[in-house]
Amino acid sequence: MNGGSVTTPFGRRPMTLGMFSSQVVSRQIEPDKSVDKWKLYRALCEARVLLGISDRALAVMNALLSFYPKNELSEENGLVVFPSNVQLSLRAHGMAEQTIRRHLAVLVGAGLLIRKDSPNGKRYARKDRSGSVEDAFGFSLAPLLARSEEIETLAAQVVADRLHLQRLRERLTLCRRDISKLVETALEENLSGDWNAVIAYQKGIVGALTRNPGTSELEEALEEMEQLREDVVNQLENLLNSQKTSGNARQSERHIQSSNPDSISELEPGFETKLGAKAEGDNERSAKTVGQQGMAMQRARGQTISDLKSFPLGLVLQACPQISDYAAGGAIGSWRELMSAAVTVRAMLGVSPSAYQDACDIMGPENAATVIACILERGGHINSAGGYLRDLTRRTERGEFALGPMLMALYRSNGDGGTRAGNG
């Protein structure tokens, strides 16, 4: 250490065991040891949390290092800097002198500086006749040089921990996405399984995390999430294997449903022209044909499908005013226009054509379009519109779903206030 003896602080500042320890460590600097001061400062910034110092204290350290004349810290060049508090304030971007004194005490307490006070407490250098510094009083940077390896090791640890935490977050995000997409696929394909319970369990894992989770907390959550993903993957694989034997029969049934040339449920542009012609010339026969197709579908499936009644169009538009934004002219005046707008909304919400076709077959085209309008109104509360529609379709087949309560709840929130639907 520069001076070769223990130095005690000036005035009323007490000597502490920590200060004595810093001076002992500083005596153990290896001969000819040197380190780039700015490289060491960057490591100090990385390790500041482990060293217990703040960013303001680092700003003061930066100012002190700027007074050191060389880029390399070494005993050969001396290790004491002696700027006044006024000079430090200028280089610390105008930091108040009282604040500077407080952070200097923090750096000394952290064992990164040593006070080398003069007899009167002033900071200065005594030079010989040749102009070389013979002795200096101020702050010794010797602890930085002595602890350079320790500081760099702590910095590397902080960087490694930060990268590990970032990778844990990335893996957790990917795992959550995998589970959500797989469950969405299962719901879209109407695969058997308690998929809602999977989503609920996933939300429980995420909800248990604190606002800024640490490494151990993320590792536990990731372990649970990866196990959940493995369970979902295994269940899907088992379902696929069990369906191989009946794959041809299911494909034939889907072909029969999809090959219906008079289907009006989708109302894509190519079908709108056909529907318009039928509506003008032969409404009664079209209704009869649709009824026969519905009965044939029921017999093919061997299921009892509930006969939902459609509600007045005006009531639907008052309960679900947003659907009008997707009509060709910005307004809906007939069921055909409502069903056409529902096709546009169906695609926007990510509902597959097969899911909407099934809903039309089970509920009827008017009611399926009404359900789409309801889903649009409640879009902020529904994670998967396609999965939700399939669930309502299944419940309708079992006679467990009634459209009225859903529609009336929306009517009370939108219709009574005259929101966008007007008084008509």
Side-chain angles (χ1 to χ4, degrees):
M1 185 181 73
N2 200 24
S5 62
V6 172
T7 177
T8 56
F10 170 78
R12 296 182 179 180
R13 286 193 294 265
M15 179 68 177
T16 65
L17 189 60
M19 293 180 184
F20 180 77
S21 176
S22 297
Q23 295 183 40
V24 171
V25 170
S26 299
R27 292 178 185 173
Q28 301 171 1
I29 298 175
E30 298 176 2
D32 301 326
K33 181 180 180 179
S34 65
V35 63
D36 185 294
K37 64 178 182 181
W38 297 122
K39 181 180 178 181
L40 183 59
Y41 176 74
R42 288 192 291 272
L44 199 62
C45 291
E46 291 284 3
R48 72 176 183 84
V49 175
L50 297 181
L51 292 169
I53 56 176
S54 66
D55 53 348
R56 302 296 298 279
L58 284 172
V60 174
M61 176 63 81
N62 181 281
L64 284 173
L65 289 173
S66 70
F67 285 101
Y68 191 78
K70 305 288 185 180
N71 280 333
E72 295 287 326
L73 286 177
S74 67
E75 285 191 305
E76 182 181 355
N77 297 323
L79 291 170
V80 177
V81 291
F82 39 89
S84 66
N85 285 342
V86 174
Q87 292 173 315
L88 275 176
S89 177
L90 290 174
R91 296 201 186 181
H93 309 291
M95 188 182 294
E97 291 188 27
Q98 183 178 2
T99 305
I100 286 176
R101 283 193 289 270
R102 185 170 67 251
H103 290 302
L104 284 171
V106 170
L107 292 171
V108 171
L112 299 173
L113 289 179
I114 294 175
R115 291 183 183 273
K116 187 181 179 185
D117 289 341
S118 65
N120 61 2
K122 302 294 182 181
R123 300 170 200 156
Y124 60 87
R126 185 181 295 114
K127 299 181 180 180
D128 57 21
R129 293 184 178 182
S130 64
S132 300
V133 175
E134 187 177 53
D135 202 1
F137 298 96
F139 293 99
S140 173
L141 302 173
L144 283 181
L145 183 60
R147 299 177 62 186
S148 60
E149 291 87 356
E150 175 195 351
I151 293 171
E152 290 171 352
T153 300
L154 291 175
Q157 178 184 337
V158 169
V159 171
D161 290 344
R162 184 169 63 243
L163 289 175
H164 181 55
L165 191 65
Q166 179 182 347
R167 286 166 184 158
L168 285 175
R169 291 179 181 276
E170 290 174 351
R171 289 173 60 190
L172 186 61
T173 299
L174 291 173
C175 199
R176 289 177 60 188
R177 186 182 72 188
D178 292 344
I179 294 171
S180 298
K181 295 287 185 181
L182 290 172
V183 170
E184 183 178 350
T185 300
L187 291 172
E188 289 286 342
E189 297 298 328
N190 199 22
L191 299 178
S192 62
D194 195 355
W195 305 114
N196 290 327
V198 173
I199 293 298
Y201 186 65
Q202 181 192 43
K203 289 182 178 179
I205 296 174
V206 177
L209 293 173
T210 58
R211 185 173 182 179
N212 293 307
T215 301
S216 60
E217 190 175 354
L218 284 176
E219 286 175 342
E220 292 178 4
L222 179 61
E223 184 179 357
E224 288 187 70
M225 198 73 77
E226 287 179 338
Q227 182 60 53
L228 180 60
R229 179 176 60 184
E230 184 178 350
D231 292 342
V232 171
V233 170
N234 289 338
Q235 187 170 355
L236 288 176
E237 288 179 350
N238 291 335
L239 288 171
L240 287 177
N241 292 333
S242 65
Q243 290 178 356
K244 283 182 179 180
T245 56
S246 58
N248 292 335
R250 293 197 176 189
Q251 289 176 3
S252 299
E253 180 183 349
R254 182 173 295 274
H255 176 72
I256 292 171
Q257 296 175 7
S258 301
S259 62
N260 180 1
D262 296 319
S263 174
I264 65 173
S265 63
E266 274 295 314
L267 283 176
E268 301 290 0
F271 291 111
E272 289 189 41
T273 304
K274 296 179 182 178
L275 180 61
K278 289 183 180 182
E280 292 176 2
D282 203 0
N283 287 336
E284 184 175 351
R285 188 176 62 185
S286 296
K288 183 178 180 181
T289 302
V290 172
Q292 290 173 347
Q293 292 166 355
M295 292 299 294
M297 192 75 67
Q298 293 179 32
R299 288 194 298 271
R301 295 185 178 190
Q303 296 172 332
T304 302
I305 300 175
S306 61
D307 184 17
L308 296 179
K309 72 171 183 177
S310 60
F311 290 81
L313 179 62
L315 174 65
V316 174
L317 294 178
Q318 282 189 304
C320 308
Q322 293 186 48
I323 192 71
S324 296
D325 294 341
Y326 300 89
I332 293 175
S334 66
W335 279 107
R336 188 174 73 87
E337 291 175 349
L338 175 65
M339 289 186 284
S340 178
V343 171
T344 302
V345 173
R346 185 274 302 165
M348 183 193 72
L349 295 176
V351 176
S352 66
S354 63
Y356 188 52
Q357 178 70 54
D358 289 344
C360 289
D361 293 338
I362 301 301
M363 301 178 181
E366 295 87 354
N367 286 325
T370 301
V371 171
I372 288 292
C374 292
I375 292 175
L376 177 64
E377 289 292 325
R378 302 183 59 215
H381 306 283
I382 299 173
N383 293 329
S384 171
Y388 185 67
L389 180 62
R390 285 193 182 276
D391 181 62
L392 294 183
T393 302
R394 288 194 298 269
R395 289 167 58 190
T396 301
E397 285 185 301
R398 298 193 298 265
E400 298 173 357
F401 172 65
L403 181 54
M406 175 191 290
L407 196 62
M408 295 309 297
L410 291 171
Y411 175 80
R412 284 191 293 271
S413 61
N414 291 330
D416 288 347
T419 308
R420 301 171 59 187
N423 296 325

